[in-house]
Amino acid sequence: MKKFDDGSTQVGAAQGDSASESSQLIEKEDFSWTSVILPFLFPALGGLLFGYDIGATSGATISLQSAQLSGTTWFNLSSIQLGLVASGSLYGALFGSLLVYSIADFLGRKRELITAAMLYLVGGAITSYAPDFNTLLVGRVLYGLGIGLAMHGAPLYIAETCPSQIRGTLISLKELFIVLGILFGYLVGSFQISAIGGWRYMYGLSAPIAVLMGLGMLSLPTSPRWLLLRAVQGKGSLQEYKEKAIDALSKLRGRPPGDKVSEKQIEDTIVSVKSAYAGEQSEGSFWEVVQGPSLKALVIGGGLVLFQQITGQPSVLYYAGPILQSAGFSAAADATRVSVVIGLFKLVMTGIAVAKVDDLGRRPLLIAGVTGIVLSLLMLAAYYKFLGGYPLVAVGALLLYVGSYQVSFGPISWLMVSEIFPLRTRGKGISLAVLTNFGSNAIVTFAFSPLKELLGADNLFLLFGAIALLSLVFVLQIVPETKGLSLEEIESKILKLVSIVVSTRQEGVGVTLRMRTDGGFRTFLKKGETLEIQPKNEVKIS
């Protein structure tokens, strides 16, 4: 910060002296690993339950259709009904992601996750005890509502409560919990596939985990940052919310109640929250999301999560058992056991991606992974066309698909979505990306069986392969590399959006100048103040 002779103040770009000082403080924050485990674990169980539904459904679709194993009189399901069972939770998640956008700030992260746990419990219980097909669908949709809330609340709670220096690691590890859930679902399916009414056990075992998640979230403190946001938004007394935030942070870090370190951190956070809230006096509108730099971010982020689904990912995971069964593993138990092997492989490849994404970068992993996806889908198409006598081709193709997906679209799509949107429209942009993901997931899952009957498995996987090839072109031509870039650098270097934060030493005075590629700019000035641009990005305020 520089003082001019006339008494005005000059500040450089947003990454100025104060930002550097703040980052140094963040890097030196002391914490105990034992104190961050539970605030990560219980929200991450929401992701595990999402993955468990994917894995369990793979075995449940086999059990439900078996005259000997279903234990029902309505086992003869049509392809449409089977698609509804498989995609019912995803339709619920789609509605949940729509619902949560308008109520998330009211509920807060903690109550949102408790509500998700209750929906998981109720949905899983209704599904496992369903006396008829319609009741089964009600349970699937309620469970899906829990998915929608959990997938929104979990990353927010983890990001807002964990120490900043390990935030990226913990958010990436959440993907591992989803994979662990898928593997657990496969394992339960392999043990229960030969039991009468085994599908009931497959879906019902989610209930104890949901209870653990709910009780765990009840024991955790509210997000301190959410408390401060509510205070800054005028939803209550600033002093009261500040005291609650200090107590919450003390508990999260394993410190004595009301300790001085937590108090200092909360005071610093209040300043940054007030600054951020004042600098963005109004939220970006929907139309702003679909124009300018935000549109570019939406094309990149939305395109990645769209291709993540329409290249066949939901079908390969949800129907892994039936695919393997038709590939030569005639016994249901054989197919589900191979699904377990696929789940283990998925877990290993996810771990590799999490460990290497910051070393190798986003684009190299995406390019290599999507290339593998194209080859695997072409292999599946070839198997169903003229390699039917070689069932290991199908298994190899599935393993190649899973491995390629887990080092590319799986973890990196959501990482890019969280990085690419500018601050002003980030909330609405990510919301649109979530809707795109769940919507396309539900459509592909539902359409797989009818399309398989209409086109045949060979042509269907050939179609998915063509779409995957198109997604590879998209990655090569559109998706940028964000490795090593701060969020501000992504806005300026990739989205071509320049933000300059200007302030003076006078308390309460602040200016934000946001420049766009069209040469225009938006300023927030106190009444009576003027702004002057000097050479070399110097800014004078008087």
Side-chain angles (χ1 to χ4, degrees):
M1 189 178 296
K2 184 185 294 183
K3 190 80 171 180
F4 287 91
D5 292 337
D6 61 2
S8 60
T9 303
Q10 175 262 324
V11 181
Q15 299 99 319
D17 296 338
S18 59
S20 300
E21 292 169 3
S22 298
S23 63
Q24 291 172 2
L25 287 173
I26 288 173
E27 290 173 0
K28 296 178 180 178
E29 182 182 358
D30 293 327
F31 69 94
S32 166
W33 274 100
T34 56
S35 68
V36 302
I37 289 175
L38 295 182
F40 163 77
L41 175 63
F42 293 127
L45 288 178
L48 186 142
L49 285 167
F50 175 34
Y52 178 80
D53 183 69
I54 296 173
T57 298
S58 177
T61 51
I62 297 175
S63 177
L64 265 171
Q65 296 180 96
S66 171
Q68 295 78 27
L69 300 178
S70 70
T72 68
T73 58
W74 38 275
F75 60 85
N76 191 21
L77 300 177
S78 67
S79 60
I80 299 293
Q81 289 175 316
L82 184 63
L84 287 173
V85 172
S87 62
S89 62
L90 295 174
Y91 286 117
L94 179 62
F95 180 73
S97 61
L98 278 168
L99 178 66
V100 75
Y101 184 76
S102 60
I103 65 172
D105 281 343
F106 168 74
L107 283 179
R109 308 353 173 180
K110 177 179 176 177
R111 287 188 292 183
E112 183 179 347
L113 287 168
I114 292 172
T115 304
M118 293 173 61
L119 287 166
Y120 275 141
L121 175 61
V122 174
I126 290 177
T127 302
S128 62
Y129 285 102
D132 53 51
F133 178 75
N134 290 333
T135 307
L136 174 66
L137 288 185
V138 170
R140 299 290 292 139
V141 171
L142 287 175
Y143 193 96
L145 285 173
I147 293 174
L149 268 64
M151 290 301 96
H152 180 273
L156 281 174
Y157 187 88
I158 294 170
E160 292 180 357
T161 59
C162 73
S164 296
Q165 59 263 48
I166 60 170
R167 181 179 299 147
T169 300
L170 292 183
I171 293 177
S172 298
L173 282 174
K174 188 177 68 68
E175 174 70 19
L176 273 178
F177 268 68
I178 296 176
V179 176
L180 281 171
I182 294 172
L183 178 58
F184 182 44
Y186 284 156
L187 284 169
V188 172
S190 69
F191 283 114
Q192 297 295 330
I193 193 65
S194 299
I196 303 299
W199 62 272
R200 298 185 185 274
Y201 298 102
M202 296 177 201
Y203 284 130
L205 281 177
S206 62
I209 305 174
V211 171
L212 178 62
M213 175 186 170
L215 293 177
M217 288 308 306
L218 281 171
S219 70
L220 293 178
T222 303
S223 163
R225 186 172 180 84
W226 177 78
L227 289 169
L228 297 179
L229 278 172
R230 298 296 281 176
V232 171
Q233 291 170 349
K235 303 300 182 180
S237 165
L238 176 60
Q239 184 61 32
E240 180 183 351
Y241 274 116
K242 186 175 81 170
E243 291 174 358
K244 289 180 178 179
I246 293 172
D247 289 340
L249 184 59
S250 298
K251 186 175 181 181
L252 286 165
R253 297 294 180 269
R255 302 167 184 157
D259 69 293
K260 295 299 181 182
V261 176
S262 296
E263 184 176 350
K264 174 66 168 60
Q265 287 181 305
I266 292 300
E267 291 288 355
D268 292 342
T269 304
I270 288 176
V271 174
S272 66
V273 170
K274 282 184 176 179
S275 175
Y277 194 76
E280 302 291 343
Q281 290 180 351
S282 62
E283 295 182 1
S285 67
F286 171 80
W287 295 112
E288 191 171 343
V289 178
V290 293
Q291 59 183 319
S294 294
L295 176 60
K296 182 176 182 179
L298 183 60
V299 169
I300 295 169
L304 283 173
V305 295
L306 177 64
F307 280 120
Q308 182 190 61
Q309 302 303 321
I310 63 175
T311 50
Q313 184 269 154
S315 304
V316 174
L317 290 180
Y318 277 92
Y319 292 91
I323 288 173
L324 290 169
Q325 204 172 2
S326 64
F329 296 87
S330 55
D334 290 339
T336 53
R337 288 191 185 107
V338 177
S339 293
V340 172
V341 175
I342 291 176
L344 286 169
F345 183 63
K346 185 179 175 73
L347 183 66
V348 171
M349 297 305 294
T350 304
I352 292 174
V354 171
K356 292 297 183 181
V357 65
D358 284 326
D359 294 332
L360 299 177
R362 283 66 159 150
R363 274 178 59 87
L365 287 175
L366 276 172
I367 292 169
V370 176
T371 301
I373 289 174
V374 173
L375 292 175
S376 66
L377 289 168
L378 293 179
M379 285 173 63
L380 280 172
Y383 167 77
Y384 281 107
K385 273 188 178 294
F386 46 79
L387 295 177
Y390 303 93
L392 288 180
V393 172
V395 177
L398 285 174
L399 288 174
L400 177 60
Y401 184 96
V402 168
S404 299
Y405 178 86
Q406 288 309 129
V407 299
S408 57
F409 281 144
I412 295 177
S413 293
W414 288 111
L415 177 58
M416 292 287 291
V417 164
S418 68
E419 294 175 330
I420 201 68
F421 286 98
L423 176 62
R424 180 174 172 81
T425 57
R426 187 167 295 153
K428 285 183 170 60
I430 292 175
S431 176
L432 287 176
V434 170
L435 290 175
T436 301
N437 179 264
F438 280 127
S440 55
N441 189 324
I443 291 171
V444 172
T445 303
F446 174 76
F448 181 81
S449 287
L451 283 175
K452 187 178 177 182
E453 286 187 0
L454 178 65
L455 302 176
D458 52 349
N459 292 323
L460 178 58
F461 284 114
L462 194 61
L463 173 62
F464 283 143
I467 296 173
L469 186 60
L470 180 62
S471 73
L472 180 59
V473 174
F474 173 82
V475 170
L476 289 169
Q477 297 296 321
I478 304 295
V479 178
E481 179 58 72
T482 59
K483 170 190 170 185
L485 298 178
S486 68
L487 295 178
E488 292 78 15
E489 289 171 329
I490 291 173
E491 288 192 19
S492 62
K493 294 182 179 181
I494 295 177
L495 302 180
K496 308 301 182 185
L497 184 78
V498 180
S499 296
I500 303 173
V501 177
V502 188
S503 62
T504 74
R505 287 193 175 94
Q506 297 176 345
E507 183 178 357
V509 177
V511 180
T512 295
L513 169 65
R514 185 178 294 274
M515 300 183 68
R516 301 195 301 267
T517 52
D518 59 6
F521 59 88
R522 182 180 293 106
T523 62
F524 299 99
L525 291 168
K526 296 188 71 174
K527 185 175 181 180
E529 294 174 340
T530 61
L531 187 71
E532 179 183 352
I533 306 295
Q534 299 289 342
K536 297 183 180 179
N537 290 331
E538 292 183 346
V539 181
K540 295 180 66 177
I541 179 173
S542 57

